[in-house]
Amino acid sequence: MTRPLTDSLLRERRAIRTLTLPGLIRLVTEIDDNGPISRRRGSLQGALGDLTPGQLRHAIDTARDLGLIHARGHALARYQLTASGKDLAEVYDTAARWARSRELPSRTSGFVARVQCALQRPDGGPEREVSAPREALSEWLKAHPRVLHQDVARSSQTAQESGRAA
């Protein structure tokens, strides 16, 4: 017989599922690595050309809903990371480095797959040790609790409907 999951654990799992959407990882890291995305026509699709328009729209909507990005009215820079978004980009970097050092999920995996593997991986193992990425994510969620209470259940369903990012 299995124990029912607590509400807080369910919220955390939903948040992790949302925060590991490929389009969201790509959007946040693109802006973190290369700065704000400009208002020039096509610059957003150009920067994230591996995402379909549906995936891109979903990533932007999710990032806005979670307070990770903001758009400046008529400024030259269209999308910028908020403080929360910058902090999440650090969590993604931590996760990718951790997974790369362990060749997870495989030796040739890309950034997004490494982040997903590290953050979705259950903690534990023989020592029941919390991994560095999960600890970083836990700290981020404590600092930004709104994500745990946001209605993110629709995120994974919408992502599936609009197609998955590579």
Side-chain angles (χ1 to χ4, degrees):
M1 190 159 129
T2 61
R3 285 188 334 194
L5 297 174
T6 65
D7 284 345
S8 63
L9 186 56
L10 285 172
R11 280 194 302 272
E12 181 179 313
R13 285 185 178 178
R14 267 186 262 153
I16 291 170
R17 193 169 45 242
T18 298
L19 294 171
T20 57
L21 290 170
L24 185 64
I25 295 169
R26 288 278 295 116
L27 178 65
V28 169
T29 56
E30 176 65 30
I31 296 171
D32 184 57
D33 290 348
N34 299 308
I37 297 175
S38 83
R39 295 189 69 77
R40 286 193 338 257
R41 184 169 172 79
S43 61
L44 189 59
Q45 191 65 47
L48 300 164
D50 59 325
L51 301 178
T52 67
Q55 292 167 329
L56 187 53
R57 171 60 34 216
H58 180 66
I60 291 167
D61 290 346
T62 301
R64 278 185 174 163
D65 289 347
L66 298 177
L68 303 174
I69 63 170
H70 60 88
R72 297 276 172 133
H74 295 293
L76 185 58
R78 184 174 187 182
Y79 295 107
Q80 298 181 8
L81 290 178
T82 61
S84 175
K86 290 175 186 175
D87 292 346
L88 183 60
E90 289 298 318
V91 171
Y92 288 161
D93 287 341
T94 298
R97 280 192 306 273
W98 182 88
R100 184 178 55 243
S101 71
R102 289 158 178 78
E103 296 183 355
L104 296 172
S106 73
R107 177 179 283 184
T108 59
S109 296
F111 184 85
V112 171
R114 290 186 194 282
V115 170
Q116 289 176 314
C117 177
L119 296 181
Q120 292 173 348
R121 183 180 189 86
D123 286 328
E127 304 85 29
R128 289 286 185 224
E129 171 185 324
V130 176
S131 69
R134 287 300 291 271
E135 189 168 316
L137 180 61
S138 179
E139 290 299 316
W140 186 87
L141 288 169
K142 284 179 192 169
H144 308 282
R146 122 183 211 186
V147 174
L148 290 171
H149 302 290
Q150 190 77 15
D151 180 22
V152 294
R154 64 179 172 82
S155 296
S156 60
Q157 179 182 5
T158 307
Q160 289 173 350
E161 290 170 1
S162 58
R164 294 223 180 260

